[in-house]
Amino acid sequence: MAKWGEGDPRWIVEERADATNVNNWHWTERDVSAWSSERLRQLLLGVRVEGPEGVCEVTDVSKLDGEASINNRKGKLFYFYEFQLKANWLGTSCSGLKYRGTIDVPNLSDENDEDDLDISVSLCKDQPSTPLMDLMKRSGIKEVRRVLGQYVRDLKSDFSQGMILPTADGQKPSTPVVTKKNQVKSSKTQISSDAKCSSGPPPCPKGVHIQTCSFSLKETFQTSADELYRTFINQEFVQVFTRSAATVDGRRGGRFQLLDGSVSGEFTELVPDQRIDMRWRFRTWPNEHYATVSLELLDRGDETELKAECRGVPAGEEETTREGWKRFYFQAIKQTFGY
């Protein structure tokens, strides 16, 4: 594999010292997969419909597989995105009865227009039939289609800023052209080492190096290791001790989001009743930067000792992060469950 900034010159972005991409001739590419996943999750969790039958709302996104990128060639933008989505919804009838179901979207991609998306809703297998299904088919699907269309509009209007740079003669290129996947195939892009990230939102997710620090915490809980383990990875437990909506997929590779989106991450290793490893970030941290958090649970009979190791915290954020873990995790769990 060629080193960064070396290789076939046809795939190297030619830039001047002022970051001018000469004539926008070569490929530049921005990976927006992480941003897309977060934006899609945020939009879907906001889906809520009401009707004579009751109220239905999306409670969590259980599957979000895919990727997305934006490419610039000769002053034209090419958008590539392809996702498979699955979400869970909770319905409450007028009489107060609750029902659970799922939403499936197998074909969110640049090859399909918003109106062409296949969106299906269903009840979970153990749920009896309910008029709430009519509400989801009538209004729920329409709302899901709308927010998925909003994701595409956000991608094209906001996130593409900075992809089209001034040309060599100082003139701005013509208006970008949105092109579908079947017209141009994406290739891996190699750029010169002095290429600069765009100033448009969000910040460039690759090549950002920051100073970090680490810290350790130790706490004792008056409960068993298995109970404490479930408290951290079970969505209902998390929602109770944070007193807010949360999305928690308690599996290896499962993602979580809590405290109104202030905290998010992914479980990287789970050893039941013994260890929880995760990639963890706070919303105000540099884009795409995650700390590594390891929680070790030691069964001491009538109590459980928890050892937390947090590495990769941005310099200057150590005290805030440390106090956040003590207050919003440890103290909140003790006060809520009496541990």
Side-chain angles (χ1 to χ4, degrees), residues 219-238:
E219 194 72 36
T220 300
F221 295 85
Q222 303 299 317
T223 187
S224 62
D226 64 315
E227 191 74 17
L228 186 58
Y229 176 84
R230 287 198 300 272
T231 302
F232 280 97
I233 69 165
N234 182 281
Q235 179 168 303
E236 293 184 1
F237 277 69
V238 173

Side-chain angles (χ1 to χ4, degrees), residues 55-57 89-93 96-101 132:
V55 179
C56 295
E57 58 186 347
W89 59 271
L90 173 66
T92 305
S93 68
L97 295 177
K98 296 186 181 297
Y99 300 82
R100 295 185 179 276
L132 289 171

Side-chain angles (χ1 to χ4, degrees), residues 25-295:
W25 186 262
H26 301 290
W27 275 102
T28 56
E29 179 178 272
R30 178 181 292 178
D31 184 353
V32 294
S33 299
W35 176 88
S36 293
S37 295
E38 291 299 327
R39 183 59 176 149
L40 285 166
R41 194 178 300 274
Q42 180 185 44
L43 289 167
L44 288 169
L45 289 175
V47 170
R48 185 176 188 274
V49 293
E50 298 183 29
E53 303 89 344
V55 179
C56 295
E57 58 186 347
V58 173
T59 56
D60 65 276
V61 180
S62 57
K63 178 180 180 181
L64 209 169
D65 297 334
E67 58 185 2
S69 64
I70 306 174
N71 295 272
N72 166 28
R73 189 188 186 195
K74 298 183 181 180
K76 296 181 180 180
L77 290 184
F78 301 88
Y79 298 88
F80 303 102
Y81 55 91
E82 186 171 7
F83 290 93
Q84 292 182 344
L85 313 170
K86 186 172 183 178
N88 298 316
W89 59 271
L90 173 66
T92 305
S93 68
C94 294
S95 61
L97 295 177
K98 296 186 181 297
Y99 300 82
R100 295 185 179 276
T102 59
I103 302 170
D104 285 286
V105 185
N107 65 335
L108 175 61
S109 77
D110 52 278
E111 293 184 339
N112 296 309
D113 294 327
E114 180 179 332
D115 293 337
D116 296 330
L117 294 176
D118 293 329
I119 304 173
S120 61
V121 296
S122 60
L123 282 168
C124 294
K125 293 182 179 179
D126 59 343
Q127 300 290 292
S129 59
T130 169
L132 289 171
M133 271 296 293
D134 295 330
L135 174 61
M136 285 300 294
K137 290 179 179 179
R138 182 180 70 251
S139 302
I141 289 179
K142 183 177 180 180
E143 182 63 8
V144 171
R145 191 182 305 278
R146 185 191 69 80
V147 301
L148 295 181
Q150 184 63 50
Y151 155 73
V152 176
R153 289 187 289 273
D154 290 347
L155 176 68
K156 294 178 180 179
S157 64
D158 298 336
F159 207 77
S160 59
Q161 294 180 24
M163 286 294 291
I164 302 295
L165 300 173
T167 57
D169 59 5
Q171 299 296 316
K172 291 185 178 180
S174 57
T175 302
V177 176
V178 179
T179 309
K180 293 199 171 186
K181 185 184 296 183
N182 58 358
Q183 293 175 292
V184 174
K185 292 188 177 180
S186 174
S187 299
K188 293 292 182 181
T189 305
Q190 185 178 2
I191 63 175
S192 58
S193 58
D194 62 345
K196 296 180 176 57
C197 294
S198 162
S199 59
C204 198
K206 295 183 178 180
V208 177
H209 299 284
I210 64 173
Q211 292 185 334
T212 62
C213 58
S214 304
F215 64 84
S216 302
L217 292 172
K218 184 183 294 186
E219 194 72 36
T220 300
F221 295 85
Q222 303 299 317
T223 187
S224 62
D226 64 315
E227 191 74 17
L228 186 58
Y229 176 84
R230 287 198 300 272
T231 302
F232 280 97
I233 69 165
N234 182 281
Q235 179 168 303
E236 293 184 1
F237 277 69
V238 173
Q239 289 184 140
V240 171
F241 77 75
T242 61
R243 300 182 182 180
S244 62
T247 301
V248 182
D249 184 358
R251 299 175 295 177
R252 180 180 179 180
R255 297 188 62 82
F256 56 84
Q257 181 173 294
L258 52 144
L259 296 171
D260 295 324
S262 295
V263 170
S264 60
E266 177 184 2
F267 294 114
T268 56
E269 190 69 37
L270 294 173
V271 181
D273 310 337
Q274 297 179 37
R275 189 179 186 86
I276 301 172
D277 293 341
M278 66 185 89
R279 296 171 67 241
W280 186 98
R281 65 172 273 109
F282 194 71
R283 179 165 49 192
T284 58
W285 287 4
N287 192 48
E288 294 300 309
H289 180 79
Y290 288 81
T292 300
V293 177
S294 295
L295 305 179

